[in-house]
Amino acid sequence: LIPLATKHVGPREIINPAVDGLLIEENGLEQSLKEAIDHLLNQTDEEYERLRSGAIARSGTFRVDAIAERWQNVFELSKP
């Protein structure tokens, strides 16, 4: 499974194109989506696996326990 999103503010900050997902233009969405799907279908197995592995690795930063740990660190640093 490969993340595919528009180049909107949120996804742009999360997805690293060609590393862990694909970003497409919002204008001309239908054509952009077609091109992205064509791109995925024309990748070698190795390219697809690299992108898939990158997406899985990136998703780990958004696990609840990973986010809770970062917040815990913020609270610890803010103690007098």
Side-chain angles (χ1 to χ4, degrees):
L1 190 60
I2 306 298
L4 176 62
T6 61
K7 292 181 178 178
H8 197 69
V9 174
R12 268 195 336 242
E13 296 173 8
I14 296 170
I15 296 173
N16 300 303
V19 175
D20 52 30
L22 296 175
L23 293 173
I24 61 174
E25 295 294 333
E26 291 179 343
N27 295 330
L29 184 60
E30 187 176 315
Q31 182 63 31
S32 294
L33 185 56
K34 179 193 176 306
E35 290 170 4
I37 291 170
D38 286 344
H39 174 75
L40 287 172
L41 292 174
N42 290 312
Q43 287 187 326
T44 65
D45 290 344
E46 293 81 19
E47 291 169 327
Y48 184 84
E49 183 57 33
R50 183 176 38 82
L51 191 56
R52 189 183 78 78
S53 295
I56 291 169
R58 180 72 171 133
S59 70
T61 51
F62 300 101
R63 289 186 345 261
V64 171
D65 58 328
I67 293 170
E69 183 177 329
R70 286 193 296 255
W71 275 108
Q72 183 65 36
N73 290 338
V74 168
F75 295 137
E76 292 297 321
L77 290 172
S78 65
K79 286 184 178 178

Coordinates of all heavy atoms in Angstrom, one line a residue:
L1 N 0.8 -1.2 0.0 CA 0.0 0.0 0.0 C 0.9 1.2 0.0 O 1.8 1.4 0.8 CB -0.9 0.0 1.2 CG -2.0 1.0 1.3 CD1 -3.0 0.8 0.1 CD2 -2.8 0.8 2.6
I2 N 0.7 2.1 -0.9 CA 1.5 3.3 -1.1 C 0.6 4.6 -0.8 O -0.4 4.7 -1.5 CB 2.1 3.4 -2.5 CG1 2.8 2.2 -2.9 CG2 2.9 4.7 -2.6 CD1 4.0 1.9 -2.0
P3 N 1.0 5.4 0.1 CA 0.2 6.7 0.3 C 0.2 7.6 -0.9 O 1.3 7.8 -1.5 CB 0.9 7.4 1.5 CG 1.7 6.3 2.2 CD 2.0 5.3 1.1
L4 N -0.9 8.0 -1.3 CA -1.1 8.9 -2.4 C -2.0 10.0 -2.0 O -3.2 9.8 -1.6 CB -1.7 8.1 -3.6 CG -2.1 8.9 -4.9 CD1 -0.8 9.5 -5.5 CD2 -2.7 7.9 -5.8
A5 N -1.6 11.3 -2.0 CA -2.3 12.4 -1.5 C -2.1 13.6 -2.4 O -1.1 13.7 -3.1 CB -2.0 12.7 -0.1
T6 N -2.9 14.6 -2.2 CA -2.7 15.9 -2.9 C -1.6 16.7 -2.2 O -1.3 16.5 -1.0 CB -4.0 16.7 -3.0 OG1 -4.4 17.0 -1.7 CG2 -5.1 16.0 -3.8
K7 N -1.1 17.6 -2.9 CA 0.0 18.5 -2.4 C -0.6 19.6 -1.5 O -0.2 20.7 -1.5 CB 0.8 19.1 -3.5 CG 1.6 18.1 -4.3 CD 2.4 18.8 -5.3 CE 3.3 17.9 -6.1 NZ 4.0 18.5 -7.2
H8 N -1.5 19.2 -0.6 CA -2.1 20.1 0.3 C -1.2 20.2 1.5 O -0.3 19.4 1.7 CB -3.5 19.5 0.7 CG -4.4 20.5 1.4 ND1 -4.9 21.6 0.7 CD2 -4.8 20.7 2.6 CE1 -5.7 22.3 1.5 NE2 -5.6 21.8 2.7
V9 N -1.5 21.2 2.4 CA -0.6 21.5 3.5 C -0.2 20.3 4.3 O 0.9 20.0 4.6 CB -1.2 22.6 4.4 CG1 -0.3 22.9 5.6 CG2 -1.3 23.9 3.6
G10 N -1.2 19.6 4.9 CA -0.9 18.4 5.7 C -0.1 17.3 5.1 O 1.0 17.0 5.6
P11 N -0.6 16.8 4.0 CA 0.2 15.7 3.4 C 1.6 16.1 2.9 O 2.6 15.3 3.0 CB -0.6 15.3 2.1 CG -2.0 15.7 2.5 CD -1.9 16.9 3.4
R12 N 1.8 17.4 2.5 CA 3.1 17.8 2.1 C 4.1 17.8 3.3 O 5.3 17.6 3.0 CB 3.0 19.3 1.6 CG 2.8 19.5 0.2 CD 3.1 20.9 -0.3 NE 3.0 21.9 0.7 CZ 2.1 22.9 0.6 NH1 1.3 23.0 -0.4 NH2 2.1 23.8 1.6
E13 N 3.6 17.9 4.5 CA 4.5 17.9 5.6 C 4.8 16.5 6.1 O 5.7 16.2 6.9 CB 3.8 18.7 6.8 CG 3.7 20.1 6.4 CD 2.9 20.9 7.5 OE1 2.6 20.4 8.5 OE2 2.6 22.1 7.2
I14 N 4.0 15.5 5.6 CA 4.1 14.1 6.1 C 4.8 13.2 5.1 O 5.7 12.4 5.4 CB 2.7 13.6 6.5 CG1 2.2 14.3 7.7 CG2 2.8 12.1 6.8 CD1 0.7 14.0 8.0
I15 N 4.4 13.3 3.8 CA 4.9 12.4 2.8 C 6.1 13.0 2.1 O 6.1 14.2 1.7 CB 3.8 12.2 1.7 CG1 2.6 11.5 2.4 CG2 4.3 11.4 0.5 CD1 1.4 11.3 1.5
N16 N 7.1 12.2 2.0 CA 8.3 12.6 1.2 C 8.2 11.9 -0.2 O 8.4 10.7 -0.3 CB 9.6 12.1 1.9 CG 9.7 12.7 3.3 OD1 9.7 13.9 3.4 ND2 9.8 11.8 4.3
P17 N 7.9 12.7 -1.2 CA 7.7 12.1 -2.5 C 8.8 11.2 -3.0 O 10.0 11.5 -2.8 CB 7.5 13.3 -3.4 CG 7.1 14.4 -2.6 CD 7.8 14.1 -1.2
A18 N 8.4 10.0 -3.5 CA 9.3 9.0 -4.1 C 10.2 8.3 -3.0 O 11.0 7.5 -3.3 CB 10.3 9.6 -5.1
V19 N 9.9 8.6 -1.7 CA 10.6 8.0 -0.6 C 9.6 7.1 0.2 O 9.8 6.0 0.5 CB 11.2 9.0 0.4 CG1 11.8 8.3 1.6 CG2 12.3 9.8 -0.4
D20 N 8.4 7.8 0.5 CA 7.4 7.0 1.3 C 6.0 7.3 0.9 O 5.0 7.1 1.6 CB 7.6 7.3 2.8 CG 7.6 8.8 3.1 OD1 7.0 9.6 2.4 OD2 8.2 9.2 4.1
G21 N 5.8 7.8 -0.4 CA 4.5 8.0 -0.9 C 4.6 8.9 -2.1 O 5.7 9.2 -2.6
L22 N 3.4 9.3 -2.6 CA 3.4 10.2 -3.8 C 2.4 11.3 -3.5 O 1.4 11.2 -2.9 CB 2.9 9.4 -5.0 CG 3.7 8.3 -5.5 CD1 3.0 7.6 -6.7 CD2 5.1 8.8 -6.0
L23 N 2.8 12.5 -4.0 CA 1.9 13.7 -3.9 C 1.5 14.1 -5.3 O 2.4 14.1 -6.2 CB 2.7 14.8 -3.2 CG 3.0 14.6 -1.7 CD1 3.9 15.7 -1.2 CD2 1.8 14.5 -0.9
I24 N 0.3 14.5 -5.5 CA -0.2 14.9 -6.8 C -0.8 16.3 -6.7 O -1.2 16.8 -5.6 CB -1.3 13.9 -7.3 CG1 -2.5 13.8 -6.4 CG2 -0.6 12.5 -7.5 CD1 -3.6 12.9 -7.0
E25 N -0.9 16.9 -7.8 CA -1.4 18.3 -7.9 C -2.9 18.3 -7.7 O -3.6 17.4 -8.1 CB -1.2 18.9 -9.3 CG 0.3 19.1 -9.6 CD 1.0 20.1 -8.8 OE1 0.3 21.0 -8.3 OE2 2.2 20.0 -8.6
E26 N -3.4 19.3 -7.0 CA -4.8 19.4 -6.7 C -5.6 19.9 -8.0 O -6.7 19.5 -8.3 CB -5.1 20.4 -5.6 CG -4.7 19.8 -4.2 CD -4.9 20.7 -3.1 OE1 -5.2 21.9 -3.3 OE2 -4.9 20.2 -1.9
N27 N -4.9 20.8 -8.7 CA -5.5 21.3 -10.0 C -5.2 20.2 -11.0 O -4.2 19.7 -11.2 CB -4.8 22.6 -10.4 CG -5.1 23.7 -9.5 OD1 -6.1 23.8 -8.8 ND2 -4.1 24.7 -9.4
G28 N -6.3 19.9 -11.8 CA -6.2 18.8 -12.7 C -6.0 17.5 -12.1 O -5.2 16.6 -12.4
L29 N -6.8 17.3 -11.0 CA -6.7 16.2 -10.1 C -6.8 14.8 -10.9 O -6.1 13.9 -10.7 CB -7.8 16.2 -9.0 CG -7.8 15.1 -8.0 CD1 -6.4 15.1 -7.3 CD2 -8.9 15.3 -7.0
E30 N -7.8 14.8 -11.8 CA -8.0 13.5 -12.6 C -6.7 13.1 -13.4 O -6.3 12.0 -13.3 CB -9.2 13.7 -13.5 CG -9.6 12.4 -14.2 CD -10.8 12.6 -15.1 OE1 -11.8 13.2 -14.6 OE2 -10.8 12.1 -16.2
Q31 N -6.1 14.1 -14.0 CA -4.9 13.8 -14.8 C -3.7 13.5 -13.9 O -3.0 12.6 -14.1 CB -4.6 15.0 -15.7 CG -3.3 14.8 -16.6 CD -3.5 13.6 -17.6 OE1 -4.6 13.4 -18.0 NE2 -2.4 12.9 -17.9
S32 N -3.6 14.2 -12.8 CA -2.6 13.9 -11.8 C -2.7 12.6 -11.2 O -1.7 11.8 -11.1 CB -2.6 15.0 -10.7 OG -2.3 16.3 -11.1
L33 N -3.9 12.1 -10.9 CA -4.1 10.8 -10.4 C -3.8 9.7 -11.4 O -3.1 8.7 -11.0 CB -5.6 10.7 -9.9 CG -6.0 9.4 -9.2 CD1 -5.1 9.2 -8.0 CD2 -7.4 9.5 -8.8
K34 N -4.2 9.9 -12.6 CA -3.9 9.0 -13.7 C -2.3 8.8 -13.8 O -1.8 7.7 -13.9 CB -4.5 9.4 -15.0 CG -4.1 8.5 -16.2 CD -4.5 9.2 -17.5 CE -4.1 8.3 -18.7 NZ -2.7 7.9 -18.7
E35 N -1.6 10.0 -13.8 CA -0.2 9.9 -14.0 C 0.5 9.2 -12.8 O 1.4 8.4 -12.9 CB 0.4 11.3 -14.1 CG 0.0 12.0 -15.4 CD 0.4 13.4 -15.5 OE1 0.9 14.0 -14.6 OE2 0.0 14.1 -16.5
A36 N 0.0 9.4 -11.6 CA 0.5 8.8 -10.4 C 0.3 7.3 -10.4 O 1.2 6.5 -10.1 CB -0.1 9.4 -9.1
I37 N -0.9 6.9 -10.8 CA -1.2 5.4 -10.9 C -0.3 4.8 -12.0 O 0.3 3.7 -11.8 CB -2.7 5.2 -11.2 CG1 -3.4 5.6 -9.9 CG2 -2.9 3.7 -11.6 CD1 -5.0 5.6 -10.1
D38 N -0.2 5.5 -13.2 CA 0.7 5.0 -14.2 C 2.1 4.8 -13.7 O 2.8 3.8 -14.0 CB 0.7 5.9 -15.4 CG -0.6 5.8 -16.3 OD1 -1.3 4.8 -16.1 OD2 -0.8 6.7 -17.1
H39 N 2.6 5.8 -13.0 CA 3.9 5.8 -12.4 C 4.1 4.6 -11.5 O 5.1 3.8 -11.6 CB 4.2 7.1 -11.6 CG 5.5 7.1 -10.9 ND1 6.7 7.2 -11.5 CD2 5.8 6.9 -9.6 CE1 7.7 7.2 -10.6 NE2 7.1 7.0 -9.4
L40 N 3.1 4.3 -10.6 CA 3.2 3.1 -9.8 C 3.2 1.8 -10.5 O 3.9 0.9 -10.2 CB 2.1 3.2 -8.7 CG 2.2 4.2 -7.6 CD1 0.9 4.2 -6.8 CD2 3.4 3.9 -6.8
L41 N 2.4 1.8 -11.6 CA 2.2 0.5 -12.3 C 3.5 0.2 -13.2 O 3.8 -0.9 -13.5 CB 1.0 0.6 -13.3 CG -0.3 0.6 -12.5 CD1 -1.5 0.8 -13.6 CD2 -0.5 -0.7 -11.8
N42 N 4.3 1.3 -13.5 CA 5.5 1.1 -14.3 C 6.7 1.0 -13.5 O 7.8 0.9 -14.1 CB 5.6 2.2 -15.3 CG 4.5 2.1 -16.4 OD1 4.3 1.1 -16.9 ND2 3.8 3.2 -16.6
Q43 N 6.6 0.9 -12.2 CA 7.8 0.7 -11.3 C 8.3 -0.7 -11.4 O 7.5 -1.6 -11.5 CB 7.5 1.2 -9.9 CG 7.4 2.6 -9.7 CD 7.3 3.0 -8.2 OE1 6.7 2.2 -7.5 NE2 7.8 4.1 -7.9
T44 N 9.6 -0.9 -11.1 CA 10.1 -2.2 -11.0 C 9.7 -2.7 -9.6 O 9.2 -1.9 -8.7 CB 11.6 -2.3 -11.0 OG1 12.1 -1.5 -9.9 CG2 12.1 -1.7 -12.4
D45 N 9.7 -4.0 -9.4 CA 9.4 -4.6 -8.1 C 10.3 -4.0 -7.0 O 9.8 -3.7 -5.9 CB 9.6 -6.1 -8.1 CG 8.5 -6.8 -8.9 OD1 7.5 -6.2 -9.2 OD2 8.7 -8.0 -9.2
E46 N 11.5 -3.7 -7.3 CA 12.5 -3.1 -6.3 C 12.1 -1.7 -6.0 O 12.1 -1.3 -4.8 CB 13.9 -3.2 -6.8 CG 14.5 -4.6 -7.0 CD 14.0 -5.3 -8.3 OE1 13.6 -4.6 -9.2 OE2 14.1 -6.5 -8.3
E47 N 11.7 -0.9 -7.0 CA 11.3 0.5 -6.7 C 10.0 0.5 -5.9 O 9.9 1.3 -4.9 CB 11.0 1.2 -8.0 CG 12.3 1.4 -8.8 CD 12.0 1.9 -10.2 OE1 11.0 1.5 -10.8 OE2 12.8 2.7 -10.8
Y48 N 9.0 -0.4 -6.2 CA 7.8 -0.4 -5.5 C 8.0 -0.9 -4.0 O 7.5 -0.3 -3.1 CB 6.8 -1.4 -6.2 CG 5.5 -1.4 -5.5 CD1 4.5 -0.5 -5.8 CD2 5.2 -2.4 -4.5 CE1 3.3 -0.5 -5.2 CE2 3.9 -2.4 -3.9 CZ 3.0 -1.5 -4.2 OH 1.8 -1.5 -3.6
E49 N 8.9 -1.9 -3.8 CA 9.2 -2.3 -2.5 C 9.9 -1.3 -1.7 O 9.6 -1.1 -0.5 CB 10.0 -3.6 -2.5 CG 10.3 -4.2 -1.2 CD 9.1 -4.6 -0.4 OE1 8.0 -4.9 -1.0 OE2 9.1 -4.4 0.8
R50 N 10.8 -0.5 -2.3 CA 11.5 0.6 -1.6 C 10.4 1.6 -1.1 O 10.5 2.1 0.0 CB 12.5 1.2 -2.5 CG 13.3 2.3 -1.8 CD 14.4 2.9 -2.7 NE 14.1 3.0 -4.1 CZ 13.5 4.0 -4.6 NH1 13.0 5.0 -3.9 NH2 13.2 4.1 -5.9
L51 N 9.5 2.0 -2.0 CA 8.5 3.0 -1.6 C 7.6 2.4 -0.6 O 7.2 3.1 0.4 CB 7.7 3.3 -2.9 CG 6.7 4.5 -2.9 CD1 7.4 5.8 -2.4 CD2 6.1 4.7 -4.2
R52 N 7.2 1.2 -0.7 CA 6.3 0.5 0.3 C 7.0 0.5 1.7 O 6.4 0.8 2.7 CB 5.9 -0.9 -0.1 CG 4.9 -1.5 0.7 CD 4.6 -2.9 0.2 NE 5.6 -3.9 0.7 CZ 5.7 -4.4 1.9 NH1 4.8 -4.0 2.8 NH2 6.6 -5.2 2.2
S53 N 8.2 0.1 1.7 CA 9.0 0.0 2.9 C 9.2 1.4 3.6 O 9.1 1.5 4.8 CB 10.4 -0.6 2.7 OG 10.3 -1.9 2.3
G54 N 9.4 2.4 2.7 CA 9.5 3.8 3.2 C 8.2 4.2 3.9 O 8.2 4.9 4.9
A55 N 7.1 3.9 3.3 CA 5.8 4.2 3.8 C 5.5 3.6 5.2 O 5.0 4.2 6.1 CB 4.7 3.9 2.8
I56 N 5.9 2.3 5.3 CA 5.7 1.6 6.5 C 6.6 2.2 7.6 O 6.1 2.4 8.7 CB 6.0 0.1 6.3 CG1 4.9 -0.5 5.5 CG2 6.1 -0.6 7.7 CD1 5.2 -2.0 5.0
A57 N 7.8 2.5 7.3 CA 8.7 3.1 8.3 C 8.2 4.4 8.7 O 8.2 4.7 9.9 CB 10.1 3.2 7.7
R58 N 7.8 5.2 7.8 CA 7.3 6.6 8.1 C 6.1 6.5 9.0 O 5.9 7.4 9.9 CB 7.0 7.4 6.8 CG 6.5 8.8 7.0 CD 7.6 9.7 7.5 NE 7.2 11.0 7.4 CZ 7.3 11.9 8.4 NH1 8.0 11.5 9.5 NH2 6.9 13.1 8.3
S59 N 5.2 5.6 8.7 CA 4.0 5.5 9.5 C 4.3 5.2 11.0 O 3.5 5.6 11.8 CB 3.1 4.4 8.9 OG 3.6 3.1 9.2
G60 N 5.4 4.6 11.3 CA 5.8 4.4 12.7 C 5.9 5.7 13.5 O 5.7 5.6 14.7
T61 N 6.2 6.8 12.9 CA 6.4 8.0 13.6 C 5.0 8.6 14.1 O 4.9 9.5 14.9 CB 7.1 9.1 12.8 OG1 6.4 9.2 11.5 CG2 8.5 8.9 12.6
F62 N 3.9 8.0 13.6 CA 2.6 8.5 13.9 C 1.8 7.5 14.8 O 0.6 7.6 15.0 CB 1.8 8.8 12.6 CG 2.5 9.8 11.8 CD1 3.2 9.5 10.7 CD2 2.4 11.1 12.2 CE1 3.9 10.4 9.9 CE2 3.1 12.1 11.4 CZ 3.8 11.8 10.3
R63 N 2.5 6.5 15.3 CA 1.9 5.5 16.3 C 1.6 6.3 17.6 O 2.3 7.3 17.9 CB 2.9 4.4 16.6 CG 3.1 3.4 15.5 CD 3.9 2.2 16.0 NE 4.6 2.4 17.2 CZ 5.9 2.7 17.3 NH1 6.7 2.9 16.2 NH2 6.5 2.9 18.5
V64 N 0.6 5.9 18.2 CA 0.2 6.6 19.5 C 1.3 6.6 20.5 O 1.6 7.7 21.1 CB -1.1 6.0 20.0 CG1 -1.4 6.5 21.4 CG2 -2.3 6.2 19.1
D65 N 1.9 5.5 20.7 CA 3.0 5.4 21.7 C 4.2 6.3 21.3 O 4.8 6.9 22.2 CB 3.5 4.0 22.0 CG 4.0 3.3 20.7 OD1 3.5 3.6 19.6 OD2 4.9 2.5 20.9
A66 N 4.5 6.5 20.0 CA 5.6 7.3 19.6 C 5.3 8.8 19.8 O 6.1 9.6 20.3 CB 5.9 7.1 18.1
I67 N 4.0 9.2 19.6 CA 3.6 10.6 19.8 C 3.5 10.8 21.3 O 4.0 11.9 21.7 CB 2.2 10.8 19.1 CG1 2.4 10.7 17.6 CG2 1.6 12.1 19.5 CD1 1.1 10.7 16.8
A68 N 3.0 9.9 22.1 CA 2.9 10.1 23.5 C 4.3 10.3 24.1 O 4.5 11.1 25.0 CB 2.3 8.9 24.2
E69 N 5.3 9.5 23.6 CA 6.7 9.7 24.1 C 7.2 11.1 23.8 O 7.9 11.7 24.6 CB 7.6 8.6 23.5 CG 9.0 8.6 24.0 CD 9.8 7.5 23.4 OE1 9.3 6.4 23.1 OE2 11.0 7.7 23.3
R70 N 7.0 11.6 22.6 CA 7.4 12.9 22.3 C 6.8 14.0 23.2 O 7.5 14.9 23.6 CB 7.2 13.2 20.8 CG 8.1 12.5 19.9 CD 8.1 13.0 18.5 NE 6.8 12.8 17.9 CZ 6.5 11.9 16.9 NH1 7.4 11.1 16.5 NH2 5.3 11.8 16.5
W71 N 5.5 13.8 23.4 CA 4.8 14.8 24.3 C 5.4 14.7 25.8 O 5.6 15.7 26.4 CB 3.3 14.6 24.3 CG 2.7 15.3 23.2 CD1 2.1 14.7 22.1 CD2 2.5 16.7 23.1 NE1 1.6 15.7 21.3 CE2 1.8 17.0 21.9 CE3 2.8 17.8 23.9 CZ2 1.5 18.2 21.4 CZ3 2.5 19.1 23.4 CH2 1.9 19.3 22.2
Q72 N 5.6 13.5 26.2 CA 6.2 13.3 27.5 C 7.6 14.0 27.6 O 7.8 14.6 28.6 CB 6.4 11.8 27.8 CG 6.9 11.5 29.2 CD 6.0 11.9 30.3 OE1 4.8 11.7 30.1 NE2 6.5 12.4 31.4
N73 N 8.4 13.9 26.6 CA 9.6 14.6 26.6 C 9.4 16.1 26.7 O 10.2 16.8 27.4 CB 10.4 14.3 25.3 CG 10.9 12.8 25.4 OD1 11.1 12.2 26.4 ND2 11.2 12.3 24.2
V74 N 8.4 16.6 26.0 CA 8.1 18.1 26.1 C 7.8 18.5 27.5 O 8.3 19.5 28.0 CB 7.0 18.4 25.1 CG1 6.5 19.9 25.3 CG2 7.5 18.3 23.6
F75 N 6.9 17.7 28.1 CA 6.5 18.0 29.5 C 7.7 17.9 30.5 O 7.8 18.7 31.4 CB 5.4 17.1 29.9 CG 4.1 17.3 29.2 CD1 3.4 16.2 28.7 CD2 3.7 18.6 28.9 CE1 2.2 16.4 28.0 CE2 2.5 18.8 28.1 CZ 1.7 17.7 27.7
E76 N 8.5 16.9 30.3 CA 9.7 16.8 31.1 C 10.7 18.0 31.0 O 11.2 18.5 32.0 CB 10.5 15.5 30.8 CG 9.7 14.2 31.2 CD 9.5 14.1 32.6 OE1 10.4 14.4 33.5 OE2 8.4 13.6 33.0
L77 N 10.8 18.4 29.8 CA 11.7 19.6 29.5 C 11.1 20.9 30.1 O 11.9 21.8 30.4 CB 12.0 19.8 28.0 CG 12.9 18.7 27.4 CD1 12.9 18.9 25.9 CD2 14.3 18.7 28.0
S78 N 9.8 21.0 30.2 CA 9.2 22.2 30.7 C 9.1 22.3 32.2 O 8.6 23.3 32.7 CB 7.8 22.4 30.0 OG 6.9 21.4 30.5
K79 N 9.5 21.2 32.9 CA 9.4 21.2 34.4 C 10.5 22.2 34.9 O 11.6 22.2 34.4 CB 9.6 19.8 35.0 CG 8.4 18.9 34.8 CD 8.7 17.6 35.4 CE 7.5 16.7 35.3 NZ 7.8 15.4 35.9
P80 N 10.1 22.9 36.0 CA 11.1 23.9 36.5 C 12.2 23.2 37.3 O 12.2 22.1 37.7 CB 10.3 24.7 37.5 CG 8.9 24.1 37.6 CD 8.8 23.0 36.6

